[in-house]
Amino acid sequence: MSTRSGKLVIIGGAEDKKNDMTILREVVRLAGGKHARIVVMTVATELPIEVGADYIEVFDTIGVADVRMFDVSTREAANAKSAIKAIEDATCVFFTGGDQVRVTKLLGGTKMDAALHERHESGLLLAGTSAGASMMSSTMIVSGISETNPKIGIVEMAPGMEFISGVVIDQHFAQRGRFGRLFSAVAQYPHHMGLGIDENTAMIVDGLEFTVIGAGAVNVIDAGALTHSNIEDVSKGDDLALCGIKVHILPSGYGFHLRDRTTIARQRGVDNE
């Protein structure tokens, strides 16, 4: 279990962009406030102009003077000098939603990938929402069936971008009924913790701890104390039995220690949005 030196803001999607904008304001604060230099990475979406313009407008409203979009639609673009320059100059790289497979397919192993990890190790803030959240981990959910109980074969997994290890992240969690598919993912990878993030909710990862902000909760599924699973005895589509798993539901202000697998009590003065 490890994270890089820079903080991560991992957002469950559909973050508020019109009212209090609690999560995006926190991204700006962590990125340097009025001195922030934010690069909006639209690599995950097939609508980069529309999505990028939306975030540029929001960050401009918050007061960021230096915010720009960078799109990667080919691996050649991710190896260009302009890509490296964009990462070198930023205080925050913000990954939008879309399809997490596009992120790994277009960035994985490129010079931009290397620059992101190098800068993050030296303190660069990385933020991502929806697909931009799922791709943060070393193992990510690619697709899966929602609104079902845990079953064999309802979730597809693949390597992620490896900004945080030892976890599997799912987003739009409560809103799209993704409990079953995250339990199924953890059953396949019991050494990983499942992190299900609700919409308009974020976990801020600092070293080996994270704190929750926003309107919903982060659901932690810990199979470390698993006492029984029937995963080896059933076939695709069959129901899973999982005994002894711990589940923590953490709203705004609560936190979690990723190595010790222990909760951190609600911080005083933190409002549950």
Side-chain angles (χ1 to χ4, degrees):
M1 172 66 61
S2 65
T3 62
R4 308 288 180 174
S5 298
K7 292 182 180 180
L8 301 171
V9 181
I10 307 177
I11 309 166
E15 68 280 1
D16 172 24
K17 301 182 186 70
K18 296 181 179 179
N19 299 305
D20 293 336
M21 299 184 286
T22 300
I23 294 170
L24 295 178
R25 288 185 185 278
E26 182 65 6
V27 169
V28 172
R29 186 187 73 81
L30 293 172
K34 64 181 181 179
H35 303 294
R37 300 186 301 277
I38 298 178
V39 172
V40 178
M41 285 288 297
T42 54
V43 59
T45 178
E46 295 182 350
L47 300 170
I49 301 301
E50 295 88 337
V51 173
D54 191 18
Y55 278 102
I56 287 173
E57 181 180 355
V58 171
F59 285 125
D60 181 67
T61 298
I62 293 174
V64 180
D66 189 346
V67 54
R68 60 195 67 184
M69 181 191 84
F70 196 95
D71 184 49
V72 175
S73 56
T74 66
R75 290 183 62 82
E76 288 77 13
N79 283 312
K81 290 182 180 180
S82 58
I84 310 309
K85 178 66 172 173
I87 302 305
E88 289 176 346
D89 291 344
T91 62
C92 171
V93 176
F94 185 98
F95 288 84
T96 70
D99 181 355
Q100 52 265 42
V101 176
R102 283 180 56 87
V103 182
T104 55
K105 180 179 71 174
L106 294 171
L107 291 189
T110 65
K111 292 180 180 179
M112 179 174 253
D113 182 10
L116 282 164
H117 280 86
E118 182 178 351
R119 286 291 327 279
H120 190 215
E121 288 174 353
S122 62
L124 174 67
L125 175 70
L126 297 180
T129 184
S130 192
S134 288
M135 66 87 194
M136 290 279 188
S137 58
S138 54
T139 302
M140 68 179 184
I141 293 176
V142 173
S143 63
I145 300 173
S146 299
E147 298 182 343
T148 183
N149 59 303
K151 296 176 182 287
I152 292 288
I154 66 168
V155 64
E156 181 181 353
M157 313 288 289
M161 290 296 290
E162 300 184 342
F163 296 115
I164 179 171
S165 63
V167 301
V168 175
I169 298 166
D170 210 350
Q171 16 77 11
H172 301 282
F173 193 63
Q175 289 75 16
R176 298 188 184 178
R178 290 180 166 173
F179 291 89
R181 81 177 200 174
L182 187 56
F183 272 109
S184 299
V186 171
Q188 294 180 48
Y189 295 84
H191 53 297
H192 286 359
M193 278 183 294
L195 303 175
I197 311 174
D198 292 343
E199 292 181 354
N200 196 26
T201 306
M203 48 183 283
I204 300 173
V205 183
D206 185 2
L208 291 170
E209 298 181 354
F210 72 77
T211 304
V212 181
I213 64 170
V218 173
N219 300 259
V220 180
I221 300 174
D222 178 5
L226 182 71
T227 58
H228 170 75
S229 170
N230 67 343
I231 193 168
E232 296 181 354
D233 304 321
V234 292
S235 302
K236 185 175 181 179
D238 289 344
D239 295 332
L240 276 172
L242 302 168
C243 304
I245 284 182
K246 292 182 180 180
V247 178
H248 307 283
I249 301 174
L250 306 175
S252 179
Y254 282 83
F256 195 81
H257 195 287
L258 293 163
R259 174 176 291 165
D260 297 343
R261 300 192 174 204
T262 54
T263 57
I264 301 170
R266 181 182 176 85
Q267 297 177 3
R268 292 181 178 179
V270 176
D271 292 330
N272 189 11
E273 302 296 335

